[in-house]
Amino acid sequence: MRAGVFDSGVGGLSVLKSLINAKLFEEIIYYGDTARVPYGVKDKQTIIKFSLQALDFFAPHQIDILIVACNTVSAYALDTMRSHAKIPIIGVIEPGVLALKNQIADTDSETLIIATKATIASGEYETRLRDIGFWNLKSLATGLFVPIVEEGIFEGKVLESAFEYYFHNIKTPPKAVILGCTHFPLISKALDEYFKHQSLLIHSGEAIVEYLEKNLHLKSQHPLKSLKFYSSDNTSELVKVANKWL
Ligand code: DGL
């Protein structure tokens, strides 16, 4: 099976890593729209337009399934993309919400959603969580984490200052934190320490693997034969980051 993985940039490599480890696909084509990242500060129509252009990119590659690693695209463009495609298109928000539900039985549990400005503004995580009974929700747009991770900073003073800036009102660690952005799994160790190892961190990559296994009945039995990288800007830069992160 040949899968496409689409992200606004390099962040989707965090999801790609989980997909590679899970051995669900023989071939993977990763496309990052690095020329136009970040999507998380753009408006809905722009995000939809760019996402449809990504579909055009994948058309000649004849993929069997498209994984949308980007939370921002998952929040705004999935339905429109699906209406323009014949293959299954799977985003990260539904899997993330289901992963939380599977791991936390008590729907009173305090849940913190951190994501880009656009993802938070869409209310997509909140709506889906409320639909399954979770009501004790706090959403925070923590966009600064994106350039910090892009800079290769996964720990230390800069990150700690950003934690203080965003989380100073949070007095006790929430029961769960949804890492609602591709970049955030890369700082999960620092987040885990910040929240005193008391919060369950929901990672899009792990969540989507679980979702694909349970809902699409994909099995972990395919050694990866081919992995190709494409981007709208400088692909060698993307490959450099991939070599570091994967
Ligand atoms: N990939 C985006 C997301 O997961 C983060 C980077 C961006 O803003 O484009 O929401």
Side-chain angles (χ1 to χ4, degrees):
M1 201 174 192
R2 182 182 296 164
V5 177
F6 166 48
D7 183 49
S8 55
V10 298
L13 295 170
S14 67
V15 173
L16 178 66
K17 189 172 185 170
S18 304
L19 293 172
I20 293 173
N21 290 341
K23 297 192 177 74
L24 300 179
F25 306 110
E26 282 134 344
E27 296 179 53
I28 301 181
I29 293 170
Y30 182 97
Y31 173 63
D33 190 3
T34 50
R36 302 188 292 197
V37 71
Y39 283 14
V41 292
K42 297 193 167 64
D43 71 18
K44 179 179 176 174
Q45 289 317 321
T46 306
I47 295 162
I48 291 176
K49 185 171 91 187
F50 289 175
S51 303
L52 291 178
Q53 289 168 353
L55 272 188
D56 292 340
F57 164 82
F58 280 107
H61 293 282
Q62 296 179 326
I63 52 173
D64 302 302
I65 184 170
L66 179 62
I67 307 295
V68 173
C70 181
N71 284 263
T72 306
V73 172
S74 302
Y76 287 100
L78 273 197
D79 289 343
T80 314
M81 290 174 87
R82 283 177 180 147
S83 69
H84 282 75
K86 293 197 178 78
I87 52 166
I89 298 183
I90 315 292
V92 281
I93 294 184
E94 191 187 353
V97 168
L98 292 176
L100 179 77
K101 182 182 166 211
N102 291 341
Q103 290 175 76
I104 295 197
D106 180 3
T107 52
D108 295 341
S109 301
E110 195 187 346
T111 301
L112 172 67
I113 302 149
I114 53 174
T116 63
K117 217 181 252 176
T119 300
I120 295 298
S122 76
E124 196 63 19
Y125 272 110
E126 285 218 9
T127 306
R128 285 172 182 270
L129 285 165
R130 283 186 205 286
D131 282 351
I132 56 168
F134 286 84
W135 59 271
N136 197 355
L137 309 173
K138 186 175 176 64
S139 291
L140 274 180
T142 57
L144 261 184
F145 296 161
V146 173
I148 290 176
V149 168
E150 295 262 337
E151 200 57 36
I153 298 172
F154 306 139
E155 58 183 6
K157 285 204 178 106
V158 172
L159 192 56
E160 280 155 25
S161 310
F163 286 170
E164 269 314 308
Y165 175 71
Y166 288 125
F167 301 145
H168 64 275
N169 282 331
I170 298 176
K171 300 299 174 214
T172 49
K175 186 85 181 156
V177 180
I178 294 201
L179 307 177
C181 172
T182 46
H183 289 61
F184 300 174
L186 287 136
I187 51 168
S188 59
K189 195 165 163 278
L191 280 165
D192 184 45
E193 274 160 21
Y194 184 86
F195 289 121
K196 303 186 174 64
H197 313 288
Q198 285 174 36
S199 303
L200 171 74
L201 304 182
I202 301 288
H203 177 312
S204 295
E206 288 160 10
I208 205 159
V209 165
E210 192 184 340
Y211 183 91
L212 291 169
E213 288 173 343
K214 277 197 185 146
N215 296 57
L216 275 81
H217 310 294
L218 299 186
K219 295 214 170 19
S220 169
Q221 58 190 17
H222 306 284
L224 188 63
K225 289 192 190 132
S226 158
L227 173 61
K228 289 190 181 134
F229 292 98
Y230 296 89
S231 76
S232 52
D233 187 27
N234 183 347
T235 304
S236 62
E237 266 309 306
L238 172 67
V239 171
K240 226 189 270 171
V241 182
N243 285 334
K244 211 156 57 178
W245 289 8
L246 293 178

